[in-house]
Amino acid sequence: MAKNPYAKTIGYELMHVARLHRARAAQLLAELGLFPGQEQVLNLLAAGDGRTMGDLASELRVRPPTASKTVARLAAQGLVERRTTNGDGRVVRVDLTPEGRLRAAAVDAVWARLETEAIEGFDGKERKRLKKLLRKMGKNVAGRLGAPVDETPVEDAPDDELE
């Protein structure tokens, strides 16, 4: 069988690692009864409760119907509550329930575990260098897409708790 001609490229390795990372995240999130993407909603609400559906869609960079479907699934699990604002049915605010707060904290532990697993064997200098290179690569690609670029230098970004 012929080997993939792209197998020696950085892009191939990046996509391969990203897929593995996503699969491992899905595996760990499943232990919490969550699907990938749901943890992002819990994380945003834990950072600032009472967000509108529009705010959530914007922050998640998804269309409002996608955010609405995710919130509906989380509401069915009792993790979030949807409320209309001042009797205006057009504006729906989403809040975490007490169980949602517990699950959001558990998600933080999952992400910390995933990070620890992914960078096992890396020293602090290697972690910082990798982060810097990935940011630079992201900036290159975002620039070609005309997408917003995170301008925070790695040196000014919060340090990993693992260092």
Side-chain angles (χ1 to χ4, degrees):
M1 178 151 54
K3 189 169 184 169
N4 184 331
Y6 300 112
K8 292 183 179 181
T9 67
I10 292 169
Y12 179 88
E13 288 298 329
L14 183 64
M15 286 194 23
H16 179 69
V17 170
R19 284 184 182 133
L20 291 171
H21 190 274
R22 183 167 171 80
R24 181 65 175 139
Q27 191 178 49
L28 293 172
L29 289 169
E31 294 174 9
L32 300 178
L34 297 171
F35 291 101
Q38 292 178 328
E39 85 284 1
Q40 293 176 44
V41 173
L42 295 178
N43 183 273
L44 285 172
L45 291 173
D49 226 0
R51 296 192 184 230
T52 66
M53 291 299 297
D55 290 342
L56 285 173
S58 178
E59 283 285 328
L60 296 168
R61 297 183 181 165
V62 299
R63 293 180 22 237
T66 302
S68 183
K69 186 187 292 187
T70 301
V71 167
R73 288 180 177 153
L74 291 170
Q77 293 182 57
L79 302 178
V80 300
E81 292 176 335
R82 294 173 288 188
R83 296 190 187 113
T84 57
T85 311
N86 299 330
D88 183 354
R90 295 170 297 169
V91 180
V92 176
R93 296 188 70 75
V94 183
D95 295 284
L96 286 174
T97 63
E99 178 59 30
R101 279 206 185 284
L102 291 173
R103 198 77 58 94
V107 166
D108 288 345
V110 162
W111 280 107
R113 179 177 174 186
L114 186 57
E115 182 84 358
T116 299
E117 291 175 2
I119 61 171
E120 186 177 340
F122 286 46
D123 65 29
K125 190 174 181 180
E126 289 171 322
R127 288 193 298 268
K128 194 169 192 171
R129 180 83 175 138
L130 177 61
K131 198 179 338 180
K132 186 174 184 176
L133 291 171
L134 288 171
R135 281 224 176 121
K136 188 174 185 178
M137 188 180 211
K139 186 176 179 180
N140 290 344
V141 176
R144 297 287 192 266
L145 286 171
V149 176
D150 179 3
E151 296 292 343
T152 308
V154 172
E155 294 77 24
D156 296 342
D159 287 338
D160 292 331
E161 294 179 26
L162 303 170
E163 290 187 77

